Amino acid sequence: MILTVTLNTALDITYRVGALRPHASHRVSAVAERPGGKGVNVARVLAALGHQATVTGFAGGATGRAVRELLAGTAGVVDALLPVAGATRRTIAVVDERTGDTTQLNEPGPQIAPAEWGAFLDHYEELLPDASAVALCGSLPPGVPVGAYAGLIKAARSAGVPVLLDTSGEPLRRGVAARPDLVKPNTDELAELTGSHDPSRATQDARRRGARTVVASLGPQGLLALTPEGRWHAVPPGREHGNPTGAGDSAVAGLLSGLVEQLPWPDRLTRSVALSAATVRAPAAGEFDRAAYEKLLGQVAVTGGTTAA
């Protein structure tokens, strides 16, 4: 199984409105609720690709119960969340149907007590022996140490389990120093980490800081991968219009599934870009348009090769 860690799980709520206008009342045309947080989205996409995924992290309060009830109905996803006293956060996405733009509102998450964090560390180490890969995803809730991901990376490496890190800010900086197998920042996160706004230079810097492989999300320009085997750039056939929430998580699912299946890097990147683009066409995060995905697989352009990285 593939283990996804979402320390700051969420109930994702998506509202669709005809047109979003500041300082105005809006009539909502549709509402969708999904179990959320980056790693939960990753797990749902992995399950749709035929992989068994286990989700761990924290869940608490009425919102946490709603997340777990929704997860129980998701085929291929195993709930290994730990209960906490605080309430799981909500994230609100408001989709403007006229423009396709999405406005996102993210709550901070519950306060995690030291004893709850200690219980999670024990739980995580119990799950590692059965994992073929681990994804550490998203923000840290209040109370979790800023170096949490670095410790989780070291534990996975000690267990011989490849680990992917997808976070930002100081947790990313400390996590990279723990030498994860793969990091997947976007351009802003990569620039914050390295100080460079040139993705080519920034990916090299991120590797020097400790990451074995860096796959940078360039938005509509696809993915740039710097690996020990070489450098590749994968680009979708055109810009997608829709809800981009979860597109990066689908890319992570593509990378993880390709790692477990031992696909060549061009095939991993093709899958990731196609999944990301197909997610923009879907109504909610953690889902993708299957027909669009299968069509896009033949349209993603990959350049680069196995020269020294």
Side-chain angles (χ1 to χ4, degrees):
M1 62 90 172
I2 299 175
L3 179 63
T4 71
V5 176
T6 311
L7 297 175
N8 212 2
T9 54
L11 180 65
D12 285 344
I13 303 170
T14 302
Y15 295 134
R16 302 186 73 87
V17 299
L20 183 62
R21 301 181 305 278
H23 316 298
S25 296
H26 296 79
R27 190 173 298 278
V28 176
S29 61
V31 180
E33 290 189 352
R34 298 288 186 276
K38 294 179 71 65
V40 175
N41 295 336
V42 170
R44 289 210 306 278
V45 175
L46 286 169
L49 293 172
H51 290 270
Q52 181 170 327
T54 295
V55 172
T56 191
F58 300 113
T63 312
R65 288 193 296 274
V67 166
R68 302 191 79 164
E69 288 170 2
L70 290 167
L71 275 178
T74 306
V77 177
V78 175
D79 175 1
L81 296 168
L82 282 184
V84 292
T88 295
R89 66 187 177 132
R90 296 162 298 179
T91 65
I92 311 297
V94 183
V95 180
D96 185 322
E97 295 178 326
R98 178 176 55 85
T99 65
D101 292 337
T102 300
T103 299
Q104 192 81 18
L105 303 173
N106 297 327
E107 296 179 356
Q111 180 74 32
I112 303 301
E116 292 170 334
W117 176 239
F120 174 80
L121 292 176
D122 293 339
H123 182 59
Y124 174 74
E125 295 205 3
E126 290 171 358
L127 292 169
L128 281 175
D130 294 324
S132 55
V134 175
L136 307 175
C137 302
S139 62
L140 302 178
V144 172
V146 70
Y149 283 138
L152 298 181
I153 289 166
K154 291 174 183 176
R157 289 176 58 83
S158 295
V161 181
V163 57
L164 179 152
L165 177 64
D166 183 15
T167 189
S168 60
E170 187 65 12
L172 174 61
R173 188 184 71 80
R174 297 198 188 193
V176 165
R179 306 185 64 80
D181 294 273
L182 195 157
V183 295
K184 195 213 70 66
N186 60 34
T187 51
D188 290 340
E189 292 161 352
L190 191 59
E192 184 180 5
L193 173 68
T194 66
S196 174
H197 291 274
D198 176 357
S200 180
R201 179 175 298 178
T203 52
Q204 291 177 334
D205 189 354
R207 279 202 70 206
R208 284 194 294 267
R209 290 168 183 260
R212 177 175 172 81
T213 292
V214 181
V215 178
S217 175
L218 308 181
Q221 283 74 50
L223 297 174
L224 177 65
L226 184 61
T227 82
E229 293 80 24
R231 179 192 296 274
W232 287 270
H233 185 197
V235 184
R239 188 183 185 99
E240 296 291 335
H241 297 281
N243 181 5
T245 306
D249 305 332
S250 291
V252 168
L255 294 170
L256 276 174
S257 61
L259 183 157
V260 170
E261 296 171 28
Q262 299 183 326
L263 297 180
W265 270 107
D267 293 344
R268 297 187 203 186
L269 296 170
T270 295
R271 176 182 291 180
S272 296
V273 169
L275 280 170
S276 182
T279 296
V280 175
R281 299 190 189 183
E287 299 177 358
F288 62 93
D289 184 315
R290 174 75 66 172
Y293 165 63
E294 292 175 354
K295 182 178 180 181
L296 286 160
L297 281 173
Q299 298 177 337
V300 174
V302 181
T303 58
T306 54
T307 55

